[in-house]
Every structure is written in structure tokens, then in C-alpha cells.
């Protein structure tokens, strides 16, 4: 019996010698598969589209030429603007209202007087034309963009292509102050020339000098596809992306669509719509023990009191969003007919989105950050192109498909985030990581708001360069 028990023990140990490693190998394999499948990068299908008038032609290839474009004006255009400004109907404001009711009408009188008597649109057209403009036809509509190359590149220096995308109610003009800092950084004392860019700034279709889509359904994914096609048409296989507002969503979609083409994604505005019990617990505990839920002290300072900064302020500032996300053409037709109405509607956003405290100022704080010349140049881009309605429709097209703007799978391209303190919503680093899985830099910017490139071009340029340096060293 002793001998038999020893034989059985030997057989059992022999089986274990085979079975245990086999089981371990199986479990390890399953775990590895789970980890790999969990990190599988989901991409947005590139697809195709047609946004021209009528049905897509069955025959004939699209004209892929890149055509030089120049902004022009005329006596007739300026005379029509002046006539409309002369017939401005003033509405007295409530005493002590500042900007709490919207654009203060007494200050609006000053803006209109400047616009009518001092603003020189012909001069600003020359300013706009100082960078090279182009048109090219993609998916049936003409796409406008500026393409600025460095005037001098040291021998052996690689020039990084950078696509910068604006939002609403901005335009390509927002980038005019940051472009020279990126294309000629050494001349502006930013670095020794180790990072140099050529900058491409397109106008979103339906904004400014890009043709408006003629078909329903044109959203950020369609825009992302068109901008990839644009960069490919310009001969770029890999490039960096930068965006805020709608530009943030468009460039994020581009990173999801063709991650192999995106060297890096830099954002100055991040909207994360994900909700759930975990997020609720984070919000509740973050006010008392921020470190416990991954919030920094600066996150807590920008985030709380939560109801004031994330509910009341947002409700107050988002009335436009409901209008534009549902029936944009109704309000839009009035704005398209009245330059004063258009200016009030647009410039009010440049007040409170630049600094929330400007709500309490009679002039909305507008001239503390910008000049009236700059602000009205942006308004004029919408006015002379009659593009306010089509720009507002962009909200309806996106919200009708994705009401929470949540359609983000994980983004694994290298990502840099510049968090400006006066941004409409603050997104903590720990929340941003839920979507952007490969954050290389996350910067708490010392000042500035929603229109970062327009308001704080040097700060934004420095952060973009810091991000790209790190990506290039990976």
C-alpha cells in the first residue's frame, strides 16, 4: 500500500507538473487577450460625402486643384453696410444692467459709431490678405484656408505641419496673432528655432469664405474627413492638429478617424460629456478631499463651488446653444439682415467667454483684451459672406446626431491640453484621461479664456511648442 500510494502521488505530481503550467498559460493568454482587446483602438470610419447642390454627379472627377484666393470688397458693399448702420434702432437698457441682460445697448451705440465712422474695412481686407489664401473643392463644396510657411528654415531643421481649427463665433482670423509666433519663433524670442511650423488654417464649411453645405447632416465627422482630405491634397502624410471650441471636436474626430496621420493633438478646450455614479462621487468628494478622487488643488479652485460654475453659469451662457441646436434659421435670418444685431450677438460671446467677471462691466470688458478693430473684423467676415445662418446650423447638425456630444472612443494619439482658467468649463486632468489616453502635457495656463489664440497668442504658442518638443523626443 505504501508503494501504491507513492506511485499515485508521483502520477498526481506529474499531472500537476503539466496541468498547472498549462492552466497558467491559458489564464495568462486570456488575460493578455483581454488587455489587448481592451486597448484596441476604435476608429471612426472615413466614409465619404457629398455636400454640393443637387445630386452627386455620376461622371467626372472632382477638381482637386488648389486655387489662390483673395478677399475683396467694393464701394457697394461698404455703402450697404453704412446705410444699415445709419438706420440702427436703439433700445434703452435697464439702468445698472451692465452685460447681465446681454449686450449693453449704450455701449453698443459706441461700437456702432466706431464701426460707421472709424472702422476701415478696406484696410482690414489688406490685413486679412497678408497671408496666402486658397480655395479647393472637396465633396462638392469650396473649402477656404490660409497656408503660411516659415520665411526662413535653418539647414537640417524639420518643419512641422500644423492644422489649426477655429470654432463659433470665431474664424480663421483668430489665428493671425499666433501664426508668426509659430512660423518664426526665433524672431519673436520664443526659442532657438528647434520647433518651426507651417500653419494651415481652414474655415469650417459654412463659416466665412468656405462654402456652406447644401445638404442636411454636415457634422464634425464630415468636417474631420474633409480636413484630412485637405491635408492629403497639400501633400502631408503626417501632421499636428490644434483646436478649441468646435475645432477641438473636429480635431479630436480627426485623431479618431486616421490616428496614423496625426502626430499629435493639441487642445485648448475639452468637453467631456460622460456621466455616471463614479463621476458624481468624484464631484461630491472633490470639494472636501480632492486628492482622494484625483483632483489637484488647482482643479478644485477652478471647479468649485460646483453648482455656481458648472450649472448656473452654464445655463446663463448657453441660451444661444438651444436656439442654434434646434431652429437656427429663425434667429439667423434676423442676424443676417442686421449688422448691429449680428455684432451684438457675436461680441457678447467675446465678453463673457473671455472672462466671466466681464458680465459686471458696462462695456463687457471687450476693449481690455481686444481692439474694436479686431472684434469688428471677425464680425465682418460673417457679414460679408452671409454665413451666420450656416454657421449656426452646425449646432443642429451635430446635436441632432449626438445630443451630449459624447461620441468619443478612446483617443490614443499623443495629446496636449492647455487649460485656460476662464474657459467655459474646466475639465480636470483625471477626467480628460478617460477619453484622451495618451496625454503628454497638461498645462494649467495662468490667464486667458475661450478664445486663446486671439487673446493670449504667446501663451498658447509656447504650450504648443512644449508639447511638440516632447512628442518629437518620444
Amino acid at each position: 500500500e505504501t508503494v501504491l500510494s507513492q506511485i499515485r502521488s508521483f502520477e498526481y505530481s506529474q499531472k500537476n507538473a503539466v496541468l498547472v503550467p498549462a492552466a497558467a498559460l491559458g489564464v495568462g493568454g486570456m488575460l493578455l487577450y483581454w488587455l489587448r482587446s481592451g486597448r484596441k483602438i476604435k476608429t471612426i470610419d472615413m466614409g465619404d460625402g457629398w455636400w454640393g447642390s443637387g445630386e452627386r454627379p455620376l461622371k467626372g472627377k472632382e477638381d482637386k486643384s488648389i486655387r489662390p484666393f483673395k478677399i475683396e470688397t467694393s464701394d457697394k458693399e461698404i455703402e450697404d453696410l453704412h446705410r444699415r448702420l445709419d438706420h440702427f434702432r436703439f433700445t434703452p437698457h435697464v439702468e445698472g444692467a451692465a452685460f447681465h441682460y446681454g449686450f449693453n445697448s449704450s455701449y453698443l451705440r459706441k461700437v456702432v459709431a466706431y464701426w460707421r465712422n472709424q472702422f476701415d474695412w478696406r484696410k482690414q481686407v489688406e490685413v486679412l490678405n497678408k497671408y496666402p489664401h486658397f480655395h479647393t473643392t472637396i465633396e462638392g463644396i469650396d473649402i477656404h484656408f490660409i497656408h503660411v510657411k516659415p520665411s526662413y528654415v535653418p539647414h537640417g531643421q524639420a518643419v512641422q505641419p500644423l492644422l489649426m481649427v477655429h470654432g463659433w463665433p470665431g474664424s480663421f482670423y483668430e489665428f493671425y496673432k499666433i501664426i508668426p509666433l509659430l512660423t518664426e519663433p526665433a524672431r519673436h524670442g520664443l526659442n532657438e528655432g528647434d520647433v518651426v511650423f507651417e500653419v494651415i488654417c481652414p474655415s469650417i464649411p459654412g463659416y466665412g469664405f468656405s462654402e456652406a453645405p447644401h445638404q442636411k447632416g454636415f457634422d464634425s465627422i464630415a468636417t474631420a474627413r474633409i480636413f484630412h482630405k485637405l491635408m492629403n491634397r497639400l501633400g502631408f502624410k503626417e501632421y499636428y492638429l490644434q483646436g478649441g471650441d468646435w475645432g477641438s471636436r473636429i480635431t479630436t474626430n480627426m485623431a479618431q478617424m486616421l490616428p496614423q496621420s496625426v502626430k499629435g493633438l493639441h487642445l485648448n478646450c475639452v468637453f467631456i460629456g460622460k456621466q455616471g455614479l463614479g463621476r458624481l462621487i468624484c464631484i461630491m468628494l472633490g470639494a472636501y478631499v480632492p486628492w482622494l478622487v484625483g483632483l489637484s488643488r488647482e482643479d478644485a479652485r477652478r471647479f468649485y463651488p460646483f453648482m455656481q460654475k458648472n450649472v448656473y453659469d452654464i445655463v446663463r451662457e448657453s441660451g444661444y446653444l438651444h436656439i442654434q441646436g434646434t431652429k437656427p434659421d429663425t434667429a439667423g435670418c434676423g442676424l443676417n439682415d442686421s449688422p448691429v444685431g449680428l455684432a451684438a450677438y457675436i461680441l457678447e460671446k467675446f465678453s463673457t467667454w473671455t472672462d466671466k467677471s466681464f458680465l459686471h462691466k458696462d462695456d463687457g470688458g471687450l476693449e481690455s483684451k481686444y481692439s474694436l478693430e479686431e472684434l469688428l473684423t471677425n464680425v465682418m467676415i460673417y457679414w460679408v459672406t452671409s454665413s451666420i445662418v450656416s454657421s449656426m446650423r452646425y449646432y443642429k447638425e451635430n446635436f441632432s446626431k449626438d445630443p451630449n456630444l459624447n461620441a468619443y472612443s478612446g483617443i490614443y494619439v499623443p495629446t496636449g491640453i492647455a487649460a485656460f482658467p476662464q474657459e467655459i468649463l474646466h475639465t480636470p486632468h483625471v477626467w480628460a484621461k478617460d477619453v484622451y489616453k495618451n496625454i503628454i502635457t497638461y498645462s494649467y495656463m495662468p490667464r486667458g479664456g475661450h478664445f486663446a489664440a486671439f487673446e493670449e497668442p504667446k501663451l498658447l504658442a509656447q504650450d504648443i511648442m512644449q508639447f511638440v518638443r516632447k512628442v518629437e523626443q518620444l
Side-chain angles (χ1 to χ4, degrees), residues 2-279:
T2 303
V3 173
L4 286 173
S5 65
Q6 287 177 346
I7 292 172
R8 290 191 188 106
S9 176
F10 176 75
E11 289 175 346
Y12 181 74
S13 62
Q14 287 291 91
K15 287 179 182 178
N16 277 351
V18 176
L19 290 174
V20 171
L25 187 62
V27 171
M30 290 174 67
L31 182 61
L32 182 62
Y33 174 80
W34 178 77
L35 288 171
R36 288 175 63 88
S37 63
R39 280 189 58 87
K40 185 179 180 182
I41 299 175
K42 296 178 181 178
T43 58
I44 295 175
D45 181 44
M46 183 84 170
D48 201 5
W50 169 258
W51 308 104
S53 182
E55 293 186 6
R56 189 172 201 160
L58 296 175
K59 294 182 180 180
K61 294 183 178 179
E62 189 167 69
D63 178 10
K64 294 186 178 181
S65 64
I66 294 171
R67 307 175 293 278
F69 171 74
K70 192 173 183 180
I71 299 171
E72 297 178 342
T73 188
S74 65
D75 289 340
K76 184 178 179 181
E77 183 175 73
I78 295 171
E79 287 168 4
D80 176 67
L81 172 67
H82 287 175
R83 178 181 61 79
R84 293 170 187 263
L85 293 177
D86 285 338
H87 289 86
F88 162 45
R89 293 202 301 175
F90 174 72
T91 303
H93 65 84
V94 179
E95 291 183 11
F99 262 57
H100 286 274
Y101 285 67
F103 205 104
N104 183 289
S105 55
S106 290
Y107 180 63
L108 184 58
R109 265 183 150 166
K110 176 186 175 182
V111 173
V112 172
Y114 178 89
W115 200 357
R116 174 65 178 85
N117 301 311
Q118 294 174 261
F119 180 78
D120 188 342
W121 176 233
R122 291 187 185 281
K123 175 189 169 187
Q124 291 310 108
V125 165
E126 291 180 9
V127 170
L128 291 174
N129 282 326
K130 75 177 181 178
Y131 294 130
H133 294 248
F134 302 91
H135 264 161
T136 190
T137 306
I138 304 176
E139 298 187 8
I141 52 177
D142 283 345
I143 306 302
H144 162 260
F145 64 98
I146 57 175
H147 186 179
V148 188
K149 299 179 181 180
S151 58
Y152 168 75
V153 181
H155 179 70
Q157 172 68 59
V159 178
Q160 304 295 344
L162 174 65
L163 180 81
M164 303 188 78
V165 185
H166 66 88
W168 187 91
S171 64
F172 66 93
Y173 178 60
E174 285 181 70
F175 301 117
Y176 267 50
K177 288 185 279 190
I178 198 173
I179 285 172
L181 307 183
L182 296 170
T183 56
E184 300 174 314
R187 180 177 292 184
H188 295 86
L190 288 184
N191 61 25
E192 298 302 320
D194 59 324
V195 178
V196 180
F197 298 93
E198 58 179 298
V199 179
I200 301 92
C201 300
S203 294
I204 298 170
Y207 288 68
F209 299 99
S210 276
E211 185 178 355
H214 297 269
Q215 311 293 332
K216 293 191 296 182
F218 187 85
D219 60 4
S220 62
I221 292 175
T223 314
R225 180 177 65 244
I226 283 177
F227 287 172
H228 271 308
K229 289 182 177 182
L230 171 63
M231 294 301 279
N232 185 257
R233 192 169 291 184
L234 291 172
F236 300 116
K237 301 300 181 187
E238 290 185 316
Y239 31 89
Y240 284 94
L241 305 175
Q242 202 287 324
D245 196 86
W246 279 123
S248 171
R249 182 172 172 86
I250 291 164
T251 53
T252 294
N253 288 157
M254 291 178 75
Q256 293 171 288
M257 189 174 284
L258 290 178
Q260 67 274 21
S261 295
V262 179
K263 295 184 74 175
L265 171 67
H266 187 279
L267 306 172
N268 59 274
C269 178
V270 176
F271 296 118
I272 304 294
K274 178 184 174 184
Q275 303 299 328
L277 181 60
R279 185 61 50 85

Side-chain angles (χ1 to χ4, degrees), residues 270-427:
V270 176
F271 296 118
I272 304 294
K274 178 184 174 184
Q275 303 299 328
L277 181 60
R279 185 61 50 85
L280 180 61
I281 292 171
C282 179
I283 291 168
M284 292 173 66
L285 295 179
Y288 306 101
V289 282
W291 51 268
L292 190 63
V293 290
L295 300 182
S296 68
R297 286 185 178 180
E298 183 62 18
D299 286 327
R301 192 183 70 80
R302 297 185 182 190
F303 207 55
Y304 298 100
F306 180 81
M307 290 300 291
Q308 179 64 51
K309 294 185 176 181
N310 298 273
V311 179
Y312 302 145
D313 288 354
I314 300 305
V315 169
R316 185 191 65 220
E317 295 298 327
S318 59
Y320 81 98
L321 189 148
H322 193 108
I323 292 170
Q324 295 175 193
T326 53
K327 297 184 178 180
D329 287 33
T330 304
C333 67
L335 301 178
N336 193 49
D337 190 60
S338 167
V340 178
L342 180 68
Y345 196 72
I346 287 177
L347 296 186
E348 185 246 308
K349 303 307 177 195
F350 278 87
S351 170
T352 50
W353 291 3
T354 295
D355 191 317
K356 299 174 185 69
S357 69
F358 287 173
L359 192 72
H360 309 298
K361 296 178 177 288
D362 288 340
D363 63 357
L366 283 167
E367 293 178 75
S368 63
K369 292 288 186 174
Y370 318 100
S371 69
L372 284 181
E373 191 172 69
E374 291 171 340
L375 293 168
L376 289 171
T377 297
N378 182 65
V379 172
M380 285 294 289
I381 290 169
Y382 282 87
W383 176 253
V384 301
T385 58
S386 294
S387 59
I388 187 61
V389 178
S390 51
S391 75
M392 291 164 70
R393 286 177 188 153
Y394 201 63
Y395 285 77
K396 181 173 179 65
E397 302 294 13
N398 280 285
F399 283 108
S400 62
K401 293 183 179 180
D402 181 16
N404 296 317
L405 296 184
N406 261 348
Y408 289 147
S409 56
I411 292 106
Y412 290 90
V413 303
T415 302
I417 295 172
F420 284 84
Q422 290 294 332
E423 184 52 87
I424 300 167
L425 272 176
H426 175 64
T427 301

